[in-house]
Amino acid sequence: MFVRRERKACPPQGFRGKGRAPLAVYFLLLGILAGSAFAAETGVVDEVVDGDTLRVRTAGSAEAATVRLIGIDAPERSHPSLGKEFFSDEAAAYLASLCRGKTVRMEKDAEETDKYDRHLRYVFLPPPDGRLLNEEMLRAGMARAYTRFPFSRKDAFLAAEGRARREGTGLWKDGGMAEARWLAAGNAAPVDVYPSGGRTFVLAHKGLAKTGVERGDLPKEIEGILRLRGELSDTEFASKARDRGFRPIDSSSAGPPGSESPGQRALLPAPAFGGTVIPWEEAHRHQGEEIVVEGTIVRTHRTEKVLYLNFHPNWKRYLTLVILVKDLPLFPTDPEKAFRGRKVRVRGEVKLYKDRPEMVVRSPEDITVVP
């Protein structure tokens, strides 16, 4: 059947001749061209989210797609569990200087998307530059090679990272001591490790301690308590830390600040709006309801269409306030500065967007700064 179909084909005259070889070449070229057209994508970089994530608008798309650069891991400006990471602003700024506003070419590898539905791509700068952004970020010391999942350029990426390490570039400045100094300056909450009796250790963190930790369990325990600290609110952290064996160092205290259970927390009056204030970490339990929440804005993030205000760095778990860019003229000048670090009281309906609780704030009357 295959031979019969091949004979019925009508290739261009330049490919006609005796035998099957010219026809085979013709169909092979067609396959290569079709495959290249399918694999190659182009789009304009609308936004740089951080050092390994872009928002790219392709032809015919109503909105920009989120593109994750394959094979690299850049420090994040708002990691949901670790908060702001060392060199995150520099990495994002460097990537933006390379590609923001430019038309880039994208190629796939083994996987189409990741678990967050981000498109996984190699991203190339336009000619005559043509550099591969993924590799350029490694070469400049702005990211680490991410080898948890297989990808075809792994060896080249590891080599690029190795050169940056040897040259002390970016993240690797001063043999990594630049990051150590940044962390020690108070940009991360430390876990103290004390040798104790029986060749075990005591871990202390944020007024809590765990005793009798075996040497081999130290990495797991340190990572576990730091992840809880970063991912959870004070209330949930206290409960989960107790589950891991951590107890208050001060025996006269029933627990660290904010350790009461949600049911024990007194609801505050909200005279500006009427009703009561719901703890912001409990907002997800009120989907579809109009409620009032109160808390301090610890993170802001602005995109082309939206300004996000967060009560906790873990924006994937806890309530996010959303102000549409088109509504920003109604709000104070430079609303990011006006609200970041300030305690606010907000009224609105809680909705879930991709399983994340959000509250759209459309009027300045619905959000007030609490003295």
Side-chain angles (χ1 to χ4, degrees), residues 73-129:
D73 184 23
E76 297 188 35
R77 289 183 286 185
S78 55
H79 192 285
S81 61
L82 300 176
K84 184 173 183 175
E85 296 182 296
F86 173 69
F87 227 67
S88 56
D89 289 339
E90 292 86 344
Y94 183 70
L95 184 59
S97 72
L98 291 174
C99 67
R100 187 163 54 194
K102 295 183 180 179
T103 299
V104 295
R105 179 172 61 87
M106 298 175 286
E107 290 183 4
K108 306 175 187 177
D109 203 314
E111 296 179 283
E112 173 71 24
T113 60
D114 64 10
K115 64 180 181 180
Y116 303 113
D117 293 325
R118 298 176 298 187
H119 299 270
L120 299 173
R121 298 291 187 271
Y122 297 114
V123 180
F124 296 83
L125 289 172
D129 189 313

Side-chain angles (χ1 to χ4, degrees), residues 47-54 68-69 74-79 88 91-93 95-96 118 137 301:
E47 179 189 355
V48 173
V49 179
D50 55 36
D52 55 31
T53 308
L54 307 172
R68 177 68 159 78
L69 302 184
E76 297 188 35
R77 289 183 286 185
S78 55
H79 192 285
S88 56
L95 184 59
R118 298 176 298 187
M137 293 297 288
H301 178 61

Side-chain angles (χ1 to χ4, degrees), residues 144-310:
R144 297 173 174 85
Y146 187 62
T147 59
R148 182 178 178 183
F149 302 101
F151 59 98
S152 61
R153 298 175 183 264
K154 177 180 176 180
D155 291 343
F157 282 17
L158 287 173
E161 180 190 297
R163 285 194 298 272
R165 283 176 179 266
R166 291 190 298 273
E167 295 168 3
T169 305
L171 288 166
W172 319 113
K173 184 179 179 180
D174 196 13
M177 287 304 298
E179 180 175 11
R181 285 189 284 270
W182 183 85
L183 293 169
N187 291 293
V191 177
D192 295 318
V193 181
Y194 302 97
S196 62
R199 302 192 179 213
T200 62
F201 296 83
V202 172
L203 299 185
H205 177 69
K206 290 286 188 177
L208 302 176
K210 182 173 182 176
T211 63
V213 179
E214 300 287 342
R215 181 184 299 273
D217 292 333
L218 283 174
K220 178 184 67 176
E221 292 294 344
I222 292 172
E223 180 181 4
I225 195 66
L226 286 177
R227 185 163 294 278
L228 290 181
R229 178 76 264 174
E231 290 181 349
L232 303 177
S233 67
D234 288 345
T235 301
E236 290 187 276
F237 168 73
S239 174
K240 295 295 184 181
R242 284 194 297 270
D243 292 343
R244 291 189 68 96
F246 284 81
R247 297 291 183 268
I249 294 174
D250 182 358
S251 60
S252 64
S253 171
S259 61
E260 320 87 43
S261 67
Q264 294 174 318
R265 298 182 64 175
L267 297 179
L268 304 174
F273 304 132
T276 56
V277 173
I278 303 297
W280 56 264
E281 56 264 62
E282 293 295 307
H284 64 282
R285 304 182 188 277
H286 297 269
Q287 180 186 357
E289 301 176 28
E290 183 175 281
I291 63 173
V292 178
V293 298
E294 184 177 288
T296 300
I297 301 301
V298 300
R299 171 188 179 268
T300 65
H301 178 61
R302 185 166 178 171
T303 69
E304 182 182 9
K305 296 182 179 179
V306 175
L307 171 63
Y308 297 103
L309 308 177
N310 297 102

Side-chain angles (χ1 to χ4, degrees), residues 314-365:
N314 190 357
W315 45 269
K316 294 182 179 180
R317 182 182 182 93
Y318 295 109
L319 180 67
T320 294
L321 304 180
V322 177
I323 302 177
L324 303 180
V325 167
K326 67 181 182 65
D327 294 331
L328 285 180
L330 303 173
F331 291 83
T333 303
D334 195 357
E336 293 175 84
K337 184 177 180 180
F339 294 125
R340 188 189 299 120
R342 307 291 296 277
K343 180 183 285 189
V344 298
R345 186 170 291 171
V346 194
R347 176 181 60 192
E349 181 182 352
V350 178
K351 296 183 178 181
L352 291 185
Y353 176 73
K354 294 185 177 180
D355 296 324
R356 300 194 292 266
E358 291 187 351
M359 181 184 289
V360 178
V361 184
R362 300 188 182 278
S363 168
E365 296 178 357

